[in-house]
Amino acid sequence: MSAKILPWGENILVLCEGVGERKVGSIIVSAKTSEMTTNGVISAIGHKCTTDLKVGDRIFFSAFNGAHIDMKTYGIADDSYRVIREDEIQGIIVDV
């Protein structure tokens, strides 16, 4: 059986980017700290969202916003997701 998580109301499901060990200068940031990512790609949008954002848009938000979803619990994927409110999005990442 496959499962799917859909955000409810004004919530947005975000696939987090940059999870994993990385190096900042001479400091190695652990994977656990990296879970506090601040950017991601919109995977699904709740039915009450009034935003012009769409699935696939890259966004950034505060590291402390939203709820972390462990997709392994639901047998869906190994990726890191967050459910955040529409008003917690601080900006859009646009490639120029």
Side-chain angles (χ1 to χ4, degrees):
M1 179 175 108
S2 65
K4 188 175 187 179
I5 292 182
L6 300 173
W8 190 253
E10 297 176 354
N11 291 313
I12 295 175
L13 181 65
V14 179
L15 171 62
C16 297
E17 294 180 336
V19 174
E21 188 172 279
R22 61 191 166 116
K23 190 172 182 179
V24 179
S26 61
I27 300 171
I28 296 175
V29 180
S30 73
K32 194 67 172 169
T33 305
S34 295
E35 288 180 11
M36 299 299 287
T37 185
T38 59
N39 60 354
V41 178
I42 295 176
S43 295
I45 298 175
H47 68 287
K48 288 188 178 180
C49 286
T50 59
T51 183
D52 291 333
L53 295 172
K54 57 191 173 303
V55 171
D57 283 348
R58 293 180 65 218
I59 61 168
F60 63 93
F61 46 89
S62 170
F64 302 102
N65 287 349
H68 179 262
I69 305 295
D70 183 7
M71 293 300 203
K72 289 180 188 176
T73 303
Y74 304 101
I76 299 173
D78 290 336
D79 298 322
S80 178
Y81 285 84
R82 283 219 193 144
V83 175
I84 62 172
R85 288 193 328 263
E86 178 181 17
D87 63 351
E88 292 175 336
I89 295 173
Q90 295 180 349
I92 304 169
I93 302 169
V94 181
D95 295 324
V96 290

